[in-house]
Amino acid sequence: MHRHPHSRSRSHRHRGRARRISALLTVVTLGFAALAATPAQAATQQYPTYTLDHTGTLNSGLTGDIAGSAFTDADGQFHWLSSYADYESTDSGSDTNTFTNTDLGALNNQVGSGTTEITADTYWNKPGALCYQIDKAAQNAAPSPYEDDHCDVVGTWVDPSSGTWYGVVNDEYDFNPWGSSSQTQNQRIGTGIHGNRILTASSSDKGKTWNYGGEIITSPYLGNDSEDASSQPGKTWDYGVAGCRLFVDYSTGYFYVVYNTQIKFKPNYTTFAYWPAVARAPISGKMAPGTWNKWDGGTWTQPGVGGYEGMAGSALHLNPSYDPATDQVDFAGTGADGTPVDYRAYYANQHGNTFTFDDTSGNAYTANTSTGVITDASGATVPSVSYRDPALNSSVTVSTASSKVNVAVTDATGATESTTLGGAVFLDTATNRLYITPNVVQETAFTFNPFSLDYQGVGYDANVYQTSDLGNPDSLSIVGTEPSGASNSYLTSIDYGSLTNQNVSSRSYRMVSALTGGMWDVSMAPHSSGQTHYSAQATPVDAGGAPISFASSASYGLSVGGATLSAGSGSAWRLVPVMDQWSTGYRTGFYKLVNVGTGGYLQSTGSTVEQTRAIGSAVATGAQQANFDPSGNGGSGSPGGADQWYLQPIGNDAPQTLSPSSSTADIAAATNTSLAGVGQYKLVNRNSGLALEYVNGGWQLAGQAFGDSGQAVAITKIS
């Protein structure tokens, strides 16, 4: 067994940070929104509740205190990355760990035997470590007098041309910025209170060392990223940008990073305001600083470093603003009824812990957040107030329980967000009606879903979202909700059928929490009569635009990059759907391609499992291989073989023309990212995520590249 260099148990090692995370989740919930249905807000749920098929456990040796990263290397090896930061005065376990085996099932089942581990120490004062590099960098060094960074690699992409790993890094710095000036550096680190920004790093030695690449996403409200009284003189402070997740969109050629901004009360961690955000960069830029832009106001023109960010996933297209000098936070946009809205944050205790609000009819009420009492205009106590807000297209109930004021907002789909009002209250400046921040796109694990040919996201709020256009994050819509017990913090999604591909999901999918060690296999339950929001099976189309037939008598010719795919003298193929493991009457969106003449199945080849997933692996036909086995690897699952494929839509955008020197006009023009109606695809191997391509006179697996016409497949009906 490869022993961790520090003998302390992992459960103890990340206990300090786990406590901080637990506290953070608590204040976010109290300050804003937690998914919780209330009897007063009962409504018809317009989307299905999904089914929990299987519950597993991630080996404690693989857990971390931030989201894990699953990926397949250029040589076909599978890796799981987890990171820690210990917040301790000595180097006792701040590191990024790379675990290697054939797939997640084997990796999880063989900790201590077949699974290997490489540890990259990231402690701030260890020469050569990633955090040390950040502190000593000539540009964008840690803006802190304490050299107190904690940096975690939380998402990884492998450059198919060089094999270099590029990672998104969650960087924590300026620990306890509002604490006593007499505190030592290690006392500050021990509080766990810090600022946050997002960086990039790379590794050319398979995770043994990581090289700092610069900052890519930072707050617009911090001078030189510093948490100090100069940039934030008021009673609140900007925590920065955090909670990041990476998604690699091979359809349109972009990296997407979802993250959040939090405004907090000094001197601690209690949340005053919160909003989720998204940034993107062309994959061709290899995550470099200057290639990233933020979603704001319906465009991607704000720079990743220092630019403003809109609230991603907002149906009202809300744009947040924050003034550190006055502590003013506003969410401004257009209501569902077409009226302007400006939801402004107020301190609840500015007027003796009381605030007034109106219902839709203009009736005024006063709520006391200290006593939990609500009174009407006459001063009489009322137990609750309910009204329909046309601007939110939602029903609102303000009630009291346990001497607290609670607000629940139920939208047209039946989704309910609720909060206990504490330090901040949001009221529309014109109507004086209440607002709470929704949880959409909150630390979300995104995938491409071949079942629906849409993008899919699962996050903290336990809702499942889909859209055909991730280039417009506000188009995300709830299509279902996770079953009880199936979702938790710091989630990673991985395709259960391959147990290697983090980038795709299907009608059933697996979620993994590196923080809690939970693993859940979930199926999309069928929608019931009257439900309007659900994930629908999509059928790809052939070159003529007709839906592909999966009948045993139907056959197709396949041409990739203009070269005809054939086996021997036979060039006719059948597409055989791989059925859902947990709901066998449904297709998954993955296929096996059978040559009509020979009966052979198209598959990548090699003498080892890793070789079948490597760039350059030869593709031929052979006997049908096994599908996913949920009982394999001690219940962690065994993946299917190398004979499964999916059709990755080729989007219409052109991000490969963008670079750090691209103008904002160039970036703004690259907005045609919808997959709706797209009928051109790449044929992608399920286990490797690599595309079929004809290279140097032979069929092989190649790294996906946007705009590579040699990977475009034409599917032509024969019979």
Side-chain angles (χ1 to χ4, degrees), residues 225-408:
D225 299 333
S226 296
E227 301 284 4
D228 56 36
S230 174
S231 62
Q232 302 184 79
K235 297 179 180 179
T236 59
W237 63 289
D238 176 18
Y239 171 63
V241 294
C244 54
R245 302 288 183 276
L246 171 69
F247 170 62
V248 185
D249 180 19
Y250 289 113
S251 284
T252 61
Y254 286 105
F255 296 121
Y256 285 91
V257 166
V258 293
Y259 61 99
N260 63 69
T261 286
Q262 296 181 37
I263 310 301
K264 299 180 179 294
F265 287 103
K266 291 179 180 177
N268 298 316
Y269 239 35
T270 305
T271 300
F272 176 56
Y274 163 96
W275 61 93
V278 182
R280 76 177 187 183
I283 297 173
S284 60
K286 301 182 181 182
M287 297 190 186
T291 64
W292 293 85
N293 288 85
K294 297 176 177 178
W295 174 253
D296 178 71
T299 73
W300 294 97
T301 54
Q302 286 292 318
V305 174
Y308 292 97
E309 49 244 332
M311 181 189 295
S314 169
L316 306 183
H317 308 292
L318 296 177
N319 291 312
S321 63
Y322 168 56
D323 185 342
T326 63
D327 304 307
Q328 187 61 60
V329 175
D330 286 73
F331 296 107
T334 303
D337 60 351
T339 61
V341 293
D342 184 351
Y343 299 107
R344 180 164 295 178
Y346 297 88
Y347 287 104
N349 59 6
Q350 281 179 324
H351 305 287
N353 296 316
T354 64
F355 67 94
T356 61
F357 67 95
D358 295 349
D359 63 15
T360 310
S361 300
N363 299 312
Y365 300 88
T366 300
N368 189 309
T369 59
S370 177
T371 64
V373 174
I374 303 172
T375 57
D376 62 17
S378 70
T381 299
V382 295
S384 64
V385 178
S386 294
Y387 58 90
R388 178 80 183 171
D389 188 333
L392 296 176
N393 192 26
S394 301
S395 56
V396 179
T397 292
V398 188
S399 60
T400 62
S402 302
S403 299
K404 300 293 183 182
V405 178
N406 303 301
V407 180

Side-chain angles (χ1 to χ4, degrees), residues 108-144:
N108 192 50
N109 189 48
Q110 296 174 15
V111 172
S113 55
T115 296
T116 61
E117 177 185 2
I118 291 175
T119 296
D121 195 324
T122 60
Y123 196 65
W124 64 270
N125 72 350
K126 181 179 177 63
L130 179 56
C131 287
Y132 185 91
Q133 295 176 53
I134 295 169
D135 290 331
K136 306 302 182 186
Q139 292 183 329
N140 308 128
S144 165

